[in-house]
Amino acid sequence: MLSGLDHLVVTVTDMGRAVDFYSRVLGLEVRYRDAQRVDLLLGDMALRLHQTDTDIAPISATPTPGSLDLCLRCQLPLDEFIQHLDALAIEIELGPVARQGANGPIESLYLRDPDGNLLEVCRPAPR
């Protein structure tokens, strides 16, 4: 019946700060839909940013910055991604650690975006 995810809305307090983080730190391509909505391209889907003080409808019942817990797949080996984060002075909250992903064992690290959302960045676990 369903075949995948098209986009996921991330509620943010400061659009510019969020766009900078997701593009500079995570390397996502930015596509401006209009003054209130920005898509961050992620494979064949997007993270769609909505700022808290905008009038967009419909929205979730309680859109709350910092309430997201999201796992993103990384193309780079995690040690290279860690070097990238270190160069940008981005704090790693935990990891790398072994976890179970949707398609099997993964190796993950955890960081937070400017709104406090928990972002897990993963790679398939080494065999």
Side-chain angles (χ1 to χ4, degrees), residues 24 32 42 45 57 76 96-97 100 102 108 112 116 126:
R24 186 175 52 87
Y32 291 89
L42 182 63
M45 64 155 292
L76 296 174
V97 293
Q100 184 65 31
S108 298
R112 294 200 182 265

Side-chain angles (χ1 to χ4, degrees), residues 2-20:
L2 300 179
S3 63
L5 186 63
D6 182 77
H7 67 275
L8 177 72
V9 175
V10 181
T11 302
V12 302
T13 56
D14 182 313
M15 186 71 77
R17 187 174 66 165
V19 167
D20 176 67

